[in-house]
Amino acid sequence: MTWHTNFPIGKPLTGSSASCPSDFTMSTTLQSCYKVVKTSLDFFPARDSCRRMNADLVAIESQTEQSFVEQLIRNHGGTSNNYWTSGWDAIKEGSWEWASTGKSLTYTNWKSGNPNNGGSGNENCLELNHNSNFQWNDNQCYNKAFLICEMPATKSANNVFG
């Protein structure tokens, strides 16, 4: 079996193909499927909405993924709205992680001065902020934003026996 190492996690390529549900957009580089949902929800109902599609809110783990998600938003005409990701520090203040994976943030794209727990405080959820070219902003989880769902691409193997 041949392993390709340009993906965030090594994935077998030989004899396999990947696909997404028809209403998701696939990134072949990232081996993930994405869906822009232009419904304004607070963080927890947004997560539930993605989960009903067997997905979760997006976890942006690289500049490549950030760029892909930004382009996806532009392609869907949603540039005047903020978008929830699965980032949060609700478990421990200041310890940001992806709720979808439980992993700490290793790549970040915070808007200058963020995270700042600004406004009236308690800003525990991470959104892509349209006013700062989709840089990251911490916001109160009960505020409403559009959402981006992510799921792994489905692998279908074509086994060859010799």
Side-chain angles (χ1 to χ4, degrees):
M1 183 174 293
T2 303
W3 292 89
H4 191 294
T5 57
N6 287 340
F7 299 127
I9 300 173
K11 304 216 186 288
L13 289 182
T14 303
S16 67
S17 60
S19 64
C20 296
S22 61
D23 56 343
F24 279 70
T25 301
M26 181 171 169
S27 166
T28 54
T29 302
L30 300 164
Q31 293 291 291
S32 285
C33 308
Y34 301 86
K35 182 174 182 174
V36 173
V37 179
K38 296 196 296 188
T39 301
S40 201
L41 298 170
D42 70 38
F43 180 84
F44 297 102
R47 240 187 126 192
D48 289 342
S49 179
C50 289
R51 287 176 164 177
R52 282 192 299 275
M53 294 181 266
N54 295 316
D56 208 331
L57 288 171
V58 67
I60 301 175
E61 299 178 293
S62 67
Q63 178 58 54
T64 300
E65 191 166 21
Q66 176 78 29
S67 297
F68 180 86
V69 168
E70 288 175 17
Q71 190 58 51
L72 188 65
I73 291 168
R74 288 183 184 90
N75 291 349
H76 284 84
T79 56
S80 62
N81 295 91
N82 297 334
Y83 290 82
W84 287 125
T85 71
S86 72
W88 68 350
D89 74 342
I91 294 173
K92 182 180 178 198
E93 183 61 38
S95 294
W96 287 89
E97 66 180 28
W98 299 113
S100 59
T101 65
K103 294 180 185 174
S104 295
L105 278 59
T106 53
Y107 163 80
T108 62
N109 190 34
W110 292 107
K111 178 180 162 185
S112 180
N114 280 280
N116 63 6
N117 239 359
S120 58
N122 252 356
E123 294 187 343
N124 295 319
C125 293
L126 193 161
E127 68 179 4
L128 303 178
N129 186 286
H130 78 280
N131 288 322
S132 62
N133 202 28
F134 299 107
Q135 286 184 298
W136 301 0
N137 178 57
D138 57 332
N139 203 343
Q140 295 174 340
C141 300
Y142 62 78
N143 285 340
K144 295 188 183 304
F146 286 3
L147 48 143
I148 301 168
C149 301
E150 177 183 16
M151 68 170 58
T154 303
K155 304 280 188 265
S156 56
N158 301 316
N159 293 326
V160 178
F161 298 97

